[in-house]
Amino acid sequence: WGPVVVWGAGPIGRHWARDLLRAGIDVPYAIDIDPRKVGRTIAGGRVPVLSVDEGLARRAGVILGAVGSRGARDTIRDRLARERLVEGRDYLFVA
């Protein structure tokens, strides 16, 4: 596996980031839409949380959508479609 970017710094995203790291998969950063989470870290301080714009500008790997909020998948899909990213190839959802 190459690097995996976790979209979501809430409970689901934090668990996925931690478990991916434990499995030896690089998680260079997470993305979150909530400005209160941007600038923090998850997974024991090993994964910085970036804004959507900054995270998408870096494009460091497959994006894993790990958010449980109602409507979050549609919001993420809309944004990634504007970036011309394809579900199943460039990103997938786990929650």
Side-chain angles (χ1 to χ4, degrees), residues 35-91:
R36 296 172 297 180
K37 294 177 183 171
V38 172
R40 296 182 178 192
T41 60
I42 59 174
R46 295 183 290 170
V47 178
V49 180
L50 306 180
S51 69
V52 174
D53 289 337
E54 185 177 0
L56 293 178
R58 289 190 187 190
R59 284 287 310 192
V62 171
I63 298 170
L64 195 70
V67 293
S69 302
R70 178 167 292 204
R73 280 187 179 203
D74 291 336
T75 300
I76 294 169
R77 275 190 183 105
D78 290 346
R79 179 57 195 266
L80 296 178
R82 289 196 311 261
E83 301 291 324
R84 300 201 186 286
L85 300 180
V86 176
E87 188 169 357
R89 182 189 72 195
D90 302 309
Y91 68 94

Side-chain angles (χ1 to χ4, degrees), residues 2-60:
V4 174
V5 173
V6 175
W7 187 314
I12 297 168
R14 289 193 309 264
H15 287 286
W16 272 95
R18 182 196 65 221
D19 291 346
L20 288 166
L21 289 169
R22 283 184 182 162
I25 297 170
D26 181 30
V27 182
Y29 59 88
I31 296 173
D32 205 281
I33 198 165
D34 185 346
R36 296 172 297 180
K37 294 177 183 171
V38 172
R40 296 182 178 192
T41 60
I42 59 174
R46 295 183 290 170
V47 178
V49 180
L50 306 180
S51 69
V52 174
D53 289 337
E54 185 177 0
L56 293 178
R58 289 190 187 190
R59 284 287 310 192

